[in-house]
Amino acid sequence: MSAKQVIGSLTELLHIHEELLTCAKEKAAAIKNNDMVSLEKLVRAETALIHKGQVQEKIRSKEVAAFFDRCGQAPDELTVRAMLPHVTKEEQAELEGTQSALIETIMALQVENERNQLLIQESLSFVNMSLDLLLPSAEHTSYQPPQQKERHGYEEGYSTFDSKA
């Protein structure tokens, strides 16, 4: 049985994840440079790539199921690893190579995304600290509710002009 369609799907998934990795690296630069316009564009592009990857993963899953239907097999899991005993040596090498490249790219993408998350958290901490410095806290406000009048050393009903006259 031929696994060319599954190899093609894995290759397409690999390309999508490589694009996501490139996008994640560009996001890191945009975060560092405080370039919100570029960051917004990158997030939109990333969302489109994620959707494309989800669609491609469904296609890959259907192709693996179709492969096993053609083989007359019904494995417990519809995975590439389960396909390996049923393909030629060349296809095995191609499947394993593409799968390992995909796994490496996904791992690099996870590392880059974690780094970006830390950068964003650090930026938010800086913004919060700056806001705390610029805005007065609730303890330092001068407003008092009307029920609580401040006493200035004189009784209610007397003014300083009356006491001096």
Side-chain angles (χ1 to χ4, degrees):
M1 285 281 119
S2 177
K4 292 293 180 193
Q5 291 140 339
V6 177
I7 294 169
S9 290
L10 281 176
T11 304
E12 182 62 28
L13 276 171
L14 177 61
H15 292 306
I16 291 169
H17 282 85
E18 287 171 343
E19 288 180 49
L20 282 168
L21 182 59
T22 302
C23 190
K25 289 177 181 178
E26 290 174 4
K27 275 176 36 180
I31 292 168
K32 289 176 186 175
N33 295 329
N34 198 23
D35 186 1
M36 292 299 119
V37 174
S38 294
L39 186 61
E40 185 178 335
K41 288 178 184 176
L42 289 168
V43 168
R44 274 195 237 122
E46 186 180 52
T47 302
L49 286 170
I50 289 170
H51 177 69
K52 187 176 176 183
Q54 290 170 339
V55 170
Q56 189 62 38
E57 177 59 27
K58 287 179 185 176
I59 291 170
R60 184 210 58 84
S61 180
K62 287 179 184 177
E63 288 175 351
V64 171
F67 173 83
F68 283 115
D69 284 343
R70 288 190 304 265
C71 287
Q73 300 287 324
D76 294 335
E77 296 179 347
L78 297 175
T79 62
V80 173
R81 187 167 304 223
M83 287 178 60
L84 293 177
H86 305 286
V87 296
T88 65
K89 294 287 183 191
E90 291 173 356
E91 290 175 331
Q92 273 185 354
E94 220 174 327
L95 278 170
E96 288 174 338
T98 307
Q99 185 181 27
S100 65
L102 180 60
I103 290 170
E104 288 175 17
T105 304
I106 290 172
M107 298 296 275
L109 181 59
Q110 285 177 339
V111 167
E112 197 65 37
N113 282 337
E114 288 171 4
R115 188 175 299 136
N116 286 346
Q117 186 176 4
L118 289 172
L119 282 172
I120 290 172
Q121 286 175 348
E122 187 176 304
S123 296
L124 285 175
S125 295
F126 179 75
V127 167
N128 285 334
M129 182 188 70
S130 298
L131 285 175
D132 287 344
L133 291 173
L134 294 175
L135 297 176
S137 66
E139 298 170 357
H140 297 96
T141 58
S142 60
Y143 172 76
Q144 290 182 345
Q147 299 87 2
Q148 298 176 351
K149 292 186 178 179
E150 194 172 313
R151 304 277 177 177
H152 291 289
Y154 55 86
E155 293 296 320
E156 194 171 329
Y158 288 104
S159 75
T160 53
F161 296 111
D162 289 339
S163 64
K164 299 288 181 183

